[in-house]
């Protein structure tokens, strides 16, 4: 982007070209810059997907249900369902989850309807469980979210390149040039 801006700025002072030629050249610079920005955006989106997949897989491994703990996990689910009905229940569930990896594992691998927690709260608790007991997985997932928020900013940059580097109408006049 910076190279494109510098080149377009230099074109403004190029005494060997007229306005049409400057805009034609700036159009080529804009096309290269847009292509580079699109490649960077695609790389960021790809990296975000890889990071999220890796983080989710790490968290799944960390909280995998264990057959030897099946009855304990059933009791924990029952406790969570009962607490979810109480006014201060969600806070109690969160405290229990942060204190016990077994509770965190049940919340993480159990669907929300089995533990009586709404989808938003369940999702938040899952992320908190990962943050507490699988920090590397949590870091990957949060980095992924940050990258996903960055990618749309490239669309804005691409639009500004197309709007500010050159005038397409003047650049199109170059096609009327007679070659000798």
């Amino acid at each position: 982007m910076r190279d494109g801006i510098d080149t377009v700025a230099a074109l403004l002072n190029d005494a060997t070209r007229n306005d049409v030629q400057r805009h034609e050249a700036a159009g080529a610079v804009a096309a290269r810059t847009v292509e580079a920005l699109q490649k960077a955006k695609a790389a960021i989106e790809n990296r975000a997907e890889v990071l999220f997949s890796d983080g989710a897989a790490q968290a799944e491994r960390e909280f995998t249900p264990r057959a030897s703990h099946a009855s304990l996990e059933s009791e924990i689910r029952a406790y969570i369902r009962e607490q979810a009905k109480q006014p201060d229940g969600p806070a109690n569930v969160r405290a229990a989850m942060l204190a016990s990896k077994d509770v965190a594992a049940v919340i993480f691998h159990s669907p929300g309807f089995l533990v009586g927690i709404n989808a938003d709260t369940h999702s938040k608790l899952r992320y908190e469980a990962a943050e507490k007991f699988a920090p590397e997985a949590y870091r990957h997932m949060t980095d992924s979210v940050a990258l996903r928020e960055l990618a749309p900013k490239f669309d804005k940059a691409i639009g500004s390149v197309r709007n500010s580097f050159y005038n397409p109408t003047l650049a199109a006049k170059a096609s009327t040039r007679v070659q000798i």
Side-chain angles (χ1 to χ4, degrees), residues 19-28 166-178:
D19 277 348
V20 171
Q21 291 169 328
R22 285 185 195 114
H23 284 272
E24 178 185 32
Y166 72 106
N167 180 328
T169 305
L170 279 177
K173 287 183 180 181
S175 66
T176 63
R177 183 181 307 136
V178 176

Side-chain angles (χ1 to χ4, degrees), residues 75-85 93 103 106-107 115-117:
E75 291 290 326
I76 292 170
R77 269 190 292 281
Y79 167 79
I80 295 170
R81 275 193 302 274
E82 284 301 314
Q83 287 298 311
K85 297 174 189 174
V93 169
V103 175
V106 167
I107 288 171
V115 289
I117 299 174

Side-chain angles (χ1 to χ4, degrees), residues 79 89-100 103 107 125 128 133:
Y79 167 79
N92 292 340
V93 169
R94 183 178 180 277
M97 178 196 73
L98 294 175
S100 168
V103 175
I107 288 171
L125 289 174
E128 287 184 22
F133 297 104

